Coordinates of all heavy atoms in Angstrom, one line a residue:
G160 N 114.8 81.0 162.6 CA 114.1 81.9 161.6 C 114.5 83.4 161.8 O 114.8 84.1 160.9
A161 N 114.6 83.8 163.1 CA 115.0 85.2 163.4 C 116.4 85.4 163.0 O 116.8 86.5 162.4 CB 114.8 85.5 164.9
I162 N 117.3 84.4 163.2 CA 118.7 84.5 162.9 C 118.9 84.6 161.4 O 119.7 85.4 160.9 CB 119.5 83.3 163.5 CG1 119.7 83.6 165.0 CG2 120.9 83.2 162.8 CD1 120.6 84.8 165.4
D163 N 118.1 83.8 160.7 CA 118.1 83.9 159.2 C 117.8 85.3 158.7 O 118.4 85.9 157.8 CB 117.2 82.9 158.5 CG 117.2 82.9 157.0 OD1 118.3 82.7 156.4 OD2 116.1 83.2 156.4
F164 N 116.8 85.9 159.3 CA 116.4 87.3 159.0 C 117.5 88.3 159.4 O 117.8 89.3 158.6 CB 115.1 87.7 159.8 CG 114.0 88.1 158.8 CD1 113.2 87.2 158.2 CD2 113.6 89.4 158.7 CE1 112.2 87.5 157.3 CE2 112.6 89.8 157.8 CZ 111.9 88.9 157.2
A165 N 118.2 88.0 160.5 CA 119.3 88.9 160.9 C 120.4 88.8 159.8 O 121.0 89.8 159.5 CB 119.8 88.4 162.2
R166 N 120.7 87.6 159.3 CA 121.7 87.5 158.3 C 121.3 88.3 157.0 O 122.2 89.1 156.5 CB 121.9 86.1 157.8 CG 122.6 85.2 158.8 CD 123.0 83.8 158.1 NE 123.6 82.9 159.0 CZ 123.0 82.0 159.7 NH1 121.7 81.9 159.7 NH2 123.7 81.2 160.5
R167 N 120.1 88.2 156.7 CA 119.6 89.0 155.5 C 119.7 90.5 155.7 O 120.1 91.3 154.8 CB 118.2 88.6 155.2 CG 118.1 87.1 154.7 CD 116.6 86.7 154.7 NE 115.8 87.4 153.7 CZ 114.5 87.2 153.5 NH1 113.9 86.4 154.4 NH2 113.8 87.8 152.6
N168 N 119.4 91.0 156.9 CA 119.5 92.4 157.2 C 121.0 92.9 157.2 O 121.3 94.0 156.7 CB 118.9 92.7 158.6 CG 117.4 92.7 158.5 OD1 116.8 93.1 157.5 ND2 116.7 92.4 159.6
H169 N 121.9 92.0 157.7 CA 123.3 92.4 157.6 C 123.8 92.5 156.1 O 124.5 93.3 155.8 CB 124.2 91.4 158.4 CG 124.3 91.8 159.9 ND1 125.2 92.7 160.4 CD2 123.6 91.4 161.0 CE1 125.1 92.8 161.7 NE2 124.1 92.0 162.1
E170 N 123.3 91.5 155.4 CA 123.6 91.5 153.9 C 123.1 92.7 153.2 O 123.8 93.3 152.4 CB 123.1 90.2 153.3 CG 123.8 88.9 153.7 CD 123.1 87.7 153.3 OE1 122.0 87.8 152.6 OE2 123.5 86.6 153.6
L171 N 121.9 93.1 153.6 CA 121.3 94.3 153.0 C 122.2 95.6 153.2 O 122.3 96.5 152.3 CB 119.9 94.6 153.6 CG 118.7 94.0 152.9 CD1 117.4 94.4 153.7 CD2 118.5 94.5 151.5
N172 N 122.8 95.6 154.3 CA 123.6 96.8 154.7 C 125.1 96.6 154.5 O 125.9 97.5 154.8 CB 123.3 97.1 156.2 CG 121.9 97.6 156.4 OD1 121.6 98.8 156.1 ND2 121.1 96.7 156.8
G173 N 125.5 95.4 154.0 CA 126.9 95.2 153.7 C 127.8 95.2 155.0 O 128.9 95.5 154.9
T174 N 127.1 94.7 156.1 CA 127.9 94.6 157.3 C 128.2 93.2 157.7 O 127.4 92.3 157.4 CB 127.1 95.3 158.5 OG1 125.8 94.8 158.6 CG2 127.0 96.8 158.2
S175 N 129.2 92.9 158.4 CA 129.6 91.6 158.8 C 129.3 91.3 160.2 O 129.3 92.2 161.0 CB 131.1 91.3 158.5 OG 131.9 92.2 159.3
A176 N 129.0 90.0 160.5 CA 128.6 89.6 161.9 C 128.6 88.1 161.9 O 128.7 87.4 160.9 CB 127.2 90.1 162.3
T177 N 128.6 87.6 163.1 CA 128.5 86.2 163.3 C 127.1 85.9 164.0 O 126.5 86.8 164.5 CB 129.5 85.5 164.2 OG1 129.5 86.2 165.5 CG2 130.9 85.7 163.6
F178 N 126.6 84.7 163.8 CA 125.2 84.4 164.2 C 125.2 83.1 165.0 O 125.7 82.1 164.5 CB 124.3 84.3 162.9 CG 124.4 85.5 162.1 CD1 125.4 85.6 161.1 CD2 123.6 86.6 162.3 CE1 125.4 86.7 160.2 CE2 123.6 87.7 161.5 CZ 124.6 87.8 160.5
T179 N 124.5 83.1 166.1 CA 124.5 81.9 167.1 C 123.0 81.7 167.4 O 122.4 82.5 168.0 CB 125.3 82.2 168.3 OG1 126.7 82.5 168.0 CG2 125.3 81.1 169.2
V180 N 122.6 80.5 167.1 CA 121.2 80.0 167.5 C 121.4 79.2 168.8 O 121.9 78.1 168.8 CB 120.6 79.2 166.4 CG1 119.2 78.7 166.8 CG2 120.6 79.9 165.1
T181 N 121.0 79.8 169.8 CA 121.0 79.1 171.2 C 120.2 79.9 172.2 O 119.8 81.0 171.9 CB 122.5 79.1 171.7 OG1 122.5 78.2 172.8 CG2 123.0 80.4 172.1
D182 N 119.9 79.3 173.3 CA 119.2 79.9 174.4 C 120.1 81.0 175.0 O 121.2 80.7 175.4 CB 118.8 78.9 175.4 CG 118.1 79.5 176.6 OD1 117.0 79.9 176.5 OD2 118.8 79.6 177.7
A183 N 119.5 82.2 175.2 CA 120.4 83.3 175.7 C 120.8 83.0 177.1 O 122.0 83.4 177.5 CB 119.6 84.6 175.6
F184 N 120.0 82.4 177.9 CA 120.4 82.1 179.3 C 121.6 81.2 179.4 O 122.5 81.4 180.1 CB 119.2 81.6 180.1 CG 118.2 82.6 180.4 CD1 117.1 82.8 179.5 CD2 118.2 83.3 181.6 CE1 116.1 83.7 179.8 CE2 117.2 84.3 181.8 CZ 116.2 84.5 180.9
H185 N 121.5 80.1 178.5 CA 122.6 79.2 178.4 C 123.8 79.9 177.9 O 125.0 79.7 178.4 CB 122.2 78.0 177.5 CG 123.3 77.1 177.2 ND1 123.8 76.2 178.1 CD2 124.1 76.9 176.1 CE1 124.8 75.5 177.6 NE2 125.0 75.9 176.4
F186 N 123.7 80.8 176.9 CA 124.8 81.5 176.3 C 125.6 82.3 177.3 O 126.8 82.2 177.4 CB 124.3 82.3 175.2 CG 125.3 83.2 174.5 CD1 126.1 82.7 173.4 CD2 125.6 84.5 174.9 CE1 127.0 83.4 172.8 CE2 126.6 85.2 174.2 CZ 127.3 84.7 173.2
V187 N 124.9 83.1 178.1 CA 125.6 84.0 179.0 C 126.3 83.2 180.1 O 127.4 83.6 180.6 CB 124.7 85.1 179.6 CG1 124.3 86.1 178.5 CG2 123.5 84.5 180.3
R188 N 125.6 82.1 180.6 CA 126.3 81.3 181.6 C 127.6 80.7 181.1 O 128.6 80.7 181.7 CB 125.3 80.2 182.0 CG 124.2 80.6 183.0 CD 123.2 79.5 183.3 NE 122.2 80.0 184.2 CZ 122.2 79.9 185.5 NH1 123.3 79.5 186.1 NH2 121.2 80.4 186.2
E189 N 127.5 80.1 179.9 CA 128.7 79.4 179.3 C 129.8 80.4 179.0 O 130.9 80.2 179.4 CB 128.2 78.7 178.0 CG 129.3 77.9 177.3 CD 128.9 77.2 176.1 OE1 128.6 78.0 175.1 OE2 128.7 76.0 176.1
R190 N 129.5 81.6 178.4 CA 130.5 82.5 178.1 C 131.2 83.1 179.3 O 132.4 83.3 179.4 CB 129.9 83.6 177.2 CG 129.6 83.2 175.8 CD 130.8 82.9 174.9 NE 130.5 82.4 173.6 CZ 130.4 83.2 172.6 NH1 130.6 84.6 172.7 NH2 130.1 82.8 171.4
S191 N 130.3 83.4 180.3 CA 130.9 84.0 181.5 C 131.8 83.0 182.3 O 132.8 83.4 182.8 CB 129.8 84.5 182.4 OG 128.9 83.5 182.9
S192 N 131.4 81.7 182.3 CA 132.2 80.7 183.0 C 133.5 80.5 182.3 O 134.4 80.1 183.0 CB 131.3 79.4 183.1 OG 131.1 78.8 181.9
S193 N 133.5 80.6 181.0 CA 134.8 80.4 180.3 C 135.5 81.7 180.1 O 136.6 81.7 179.4 CB 134.5 79.8 178.9 OG 133.6 80.6 178.1
N194 N 135.1 82.8 180.8 CA 135.8 84.1 180.8 C 136.0 84.6 179.4 O 137.0 85.3 179.1 CB 137.1 84.0 181.5 CG 137.6 85.3 182.0 OD1 136.8 86.1 182.5 ND2 138.9 85.5 182.0
Q195 N 134.9 84.5 178.5 CA 134.9 85.1 177.2 C 134.2 86.4 177.3 O 133.0 86.5 177.4 CB 134.2 84.2 176.2 CG 134.9 82.8 176.0 CD 134.2 82.0 174.9 OE1 134.0 82.4 173.8 NE2 133.8 80.8 175.3
L196 N 135.1 87.5 177.3 CA 134.6 88.8 177.6 C 134.3 89.7 176.4 O 134.8 89.4 175.3 CB 135.5 89.5 178.6 CG 135.9 88.8 179.9 CD1 136.9 89.6 180.8 CD2 134.7 88.3 180.6
V197 N 133.5 90.7 176.6 CA 133.1 91.5 175.5 C 133.1 93.0 175.9 O 132.9 93.2 177.1 CB 131.7 91.1 174.9 CG1 130.6 91.3 176.0 CG2 131.3 91.7 173.6
D198 N 133.2 93.9 175.0 CA 133.3 95.3 175.3 C 131.9 95.9 175.5 O 131.7 96.8 176.3 CB 134.0 96.1 174.2 CG 135.4 95.8 174.1 OD1 136.1 95.8 175.1 OD2 135.8 95.5 172.9
F199 N 130.9 95.4 174.8 CA 129.6 96.0 174.7 C 128.5 95.0 174.5 O 128.6 94.2 173.5 CB 129.5 97.1 173.6 CG 128.3 97.9 173.5 CD1 127.3 98.0 174.6 CD2 128.1 98.8 172.5 CE1 126.2 98.8 174.5 CE2 127.0 99.7 172.4 CZ 126.1 99.6 173.4
L200 N 127.6 94.8 175.4 CA 126.5 93.8 175.3 C 125.2 94.5 175.3 O 124.9 95.3 176.2 CB 126.7 92.7 176.4 CG 125.8 91.5 176.2 CD1 126.5 90.3 176.8 CD2 124.4 91.6 176.9
I201 N 124.3 94.1 174.4 CA 122.9 94.6 174.3 C 122.0 93.4 174.7 O 122.1 92.4 174.1 CB 122.5 95.1 172.9 CG1 123.4 96.3 172.5 CG2 121.1 95.5 172.9 CD1 124.4 96.0 171.5
C202 N 121.2 93.6 175.7 CA 120.3 92.6 176.2 C 118.8 93.1 176.1 O 118.4 93.9 177.0 CB 120.6 92.3 177.7 SG 119.6 91.0 178.4
D203 N 118.1 92.7 175.1 CA 116.8 93.1 174.8 C 115.8 92.0 174.7 O 115.4 91.6 173.7 CB 116.7 94.0 173.6 CG 115.4 94.6 173.2 OD1 114.6 94.8 174.2 OD2 115.1 94.9 172.1
P204 N 115.5 91.3 175.9 CA 114.6 90.1 175.8 C 113.2 90.4 175.6 O 112.7 91.6 175.7 CB 114.8 89.6 177.3 CG 115.1 90.8 178.1 CD 115.9 91.7 177.2
P205 N 112.4 89.4 175.2 CA 111.0 89.6 175.1 C 110.4 89.8 176.4 O 111.1 89.6 177.5 CB 110.5 88.3 174.5 CG 111.6 87.3 174.9 CD 112.8 88.0 174.9
A206 N 109.1 90.2 176.5 CA 108.4 90.4 177.8 C 108.4 89.2 178.6 O 107.9 88.1 178.1 CB 107.1 91.0 177.5

């Protein structure tokens, strides 16, 4: 549901992005183990 809202917000602003529905902990483990690197990462978890 949150990702659907994210799509709509990107559409409102005419900006492009990709969207992934997954557990964040699983995501970072998988990407780091496969050496998929990024320039800038924002990590803003819930409390």
Side-chain angles (χ1 to χ4, degrees):
I162 285 293
D163 181 59
F164 239 77
R166 284 194 183 93
R167 294 166 68 187
N168 282 330
H169 275 276
E170 289 168 1
L171 268 179
N172 292 280
T174 54
S175 62
T177 59
F178 305 91
T179 302
V180 180
T181 189
D182 175 75
F184 289 88
H185 173 75
F186 178 87
V187 292
R188 284 177 180 271
E189 185 179 68
R190 289 291 179 91
S191 63
S192 66
S193 59
N194 205 35
Q195 298 183 55
L196 305 183
V197 67
D198 296 311
F199 188 8
L200 190 147
I201 299 109
C202 180
D203 184 24

